[in-house]
């Protein structure tokens, strides 16, 4: 079943935006207008999130990548935040003709890289079931921004998470992360890539983004000062400037 999407812009190279494990299409509200000036922008609610239907079974990382592949033509730019960046990586690996460039924001190589990461990711679904979406979001949402983030931003992130996450979709997403380690995949990706991370990201962190950038053959790293995990939401103007500049460079 086709995921729900928000589409802005009518011309230019398509840009697909994939949100994090606690997000939705609205996570990219600070980007839509700026990017739509020169691109057709598509932001999804991942399968099992927000306005998208629940999958009949766990898609796995390849399943999410396949669902994303249906949304774009050949040669699209793909922007992924956190879990969305891991999906974007798998999309580039398994559907390379579709991806013109990658932008990986606060992303990771996958939670399956270490036993501790795998166990922690799998535990999240039980937390959601025990706490319910509102309390789950109230506890997790503030971690996605820096400690000095404005209260309005914190409230927006928490509210969006509470409205977007549910079971079984969140459990399927967490399982896909727990089963993934892209350490041996990155070196084979030859597309231009921009790796973006907030210097105050405590979820995946600058070191992980640095490792991703170092492993990708054609990547550069941009660290946004003062931003937490959802750098595109906390520093939207700087994020938009950096990413749009990269897209222009790719298209030259």
């Amino acid at each position: 079943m086709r995921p729900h999407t928000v589409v802005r812009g009518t011309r230019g190279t398509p840009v697909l935006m994939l949100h994090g494990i606690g997000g939705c299409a609205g996570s990219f509200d600070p980007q839509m207008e700026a990017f739509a000036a020169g691109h057709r922008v598509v932001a999804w609610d991942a399968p099992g999130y927000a306005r998208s239907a629940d999958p009949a079974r766990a898609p796995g990382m390849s399943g999410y990548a396949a669902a994303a592949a249906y949304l774009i033509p050949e040669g699209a730019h793909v922007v992924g935040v956190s879990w969305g960046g891991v999906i974007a990586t798998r999309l580039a690996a398994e559907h390379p003709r579709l991806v013109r460039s990658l932008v990986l924001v606060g992303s990771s190589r996958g939670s399956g890289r270490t036993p501790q990461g795998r166990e922690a990711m799998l535990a999240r679904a039980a937390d959601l079931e025990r706490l319910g979406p509102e309390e789950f979001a109230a506890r997790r949402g503030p971690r996605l921004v820096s400690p000095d983030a404005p209260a309005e931003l914190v409230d927006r992130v928490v509210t969006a998470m509470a409205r977007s996450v549910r079971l079984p979709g969140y459990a399927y997403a967490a399982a896909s992360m727990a089963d993934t380690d892209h350490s041996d995949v990155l070196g084979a990706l030859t597309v231009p890539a921009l790796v973006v991370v907030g210097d105050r990201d405590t979820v995946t962190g600058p070191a992980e983004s640095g490792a991703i950038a170092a492993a990708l053959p054609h990547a550069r790293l941009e660290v946004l000062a003062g931003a937490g995990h959802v750098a595109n939401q906390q520093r939207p103007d700087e994020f938009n400037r950096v990413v749009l500049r990269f897209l222009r460079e790719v298209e030259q």
Side-chain angles (χ1 to χ4, degrees), residues 10-37:
T10 59
R11 57 185 179 179
T13 309
V15 178
L16 176 63
M17 295 188 167
L18 307 174
H19 62 77
I21 200 168
C24 61
S27 301
F28 295 104
D29 283 351
Q31 279 66 61
M32 298 300 281
E33 182 177 353
F35 280 69

Side-chain angles (χ1 to χ4, degrees), residues 21 61 83 86 108 110-112 121 172-181:
I21 200 168
M61 196 60 71
W83 173 55
V86 185
S108 77
S111 301
M121 183 56 69
Y172 292 162
S176 75
M177 283 290 286
D179 289 341
T180 296
D181 177 6

Side-chain angles (χ1 to χ4, degrees), residues 70-93:
Y70 282 114
L71 303 178
I72 53 174
E74 185 175 321
H77 303 295
V78 183
V79 178
V81 173
S82 196
W83 173 55
V86 185
I87 297 172
T89 300
R90 185 65 62 91
L91 177 62

Side-chain angles (χ1 to χ4, degrees), residues 151-170:
E152 181 275 332
L153 174 60
V154 178
D155 290 344
R156 184 167 9 115
V157 169
V158 169
T159 299
M161 184 183 294
R163 292 175 177 173
S164 302
V165 301
R166 63 178 183 269
L167 297 173
Y170 189 89

Side-chain angles (χ1 to χ4, degrees), residues 1-8 15-19 24-26 32 40-47 49-53 67-68 70-72:
M1 186 175 294
R2 185 182 178 92
H4 180 273
T5 57
V6 175
V7 181
R8 298 287 185 271
V15 178
L16 176 63
M17 295 188 167
L18 307 174
H19 62 77
C24 61
M32 298 300 281
R40 183 175 183 272
V41 187
V42 180
W44 79 349
D45 290 332
Y49 278 73
R51 293 157 288 188
S52 289
Y70 282 114
L71 303 178
I72 53 174

Side-chain angles (χ1 to χ4, degrees), residues 22 133-162 200-203 226-230 233-234:
E134 289 76 17
E135 181 61 23
F136 180 82
R139 296 188 184 193
R140 292 207 63 85
R143 305 179 192 181
L144 303 184
V145 296
S146 66
D148 60 349
E152 181 275 332
L153 174 60
V154 178
D155 290 344
R156 184 167 9 115
V157 169
V158 169
T159 299
M161 184 183 294
R200 305 192 70 182
D201 182 347
T202 59
V203 178
H229 187 57
V230 288
Q233 296 186 63
Q234 189 163 12

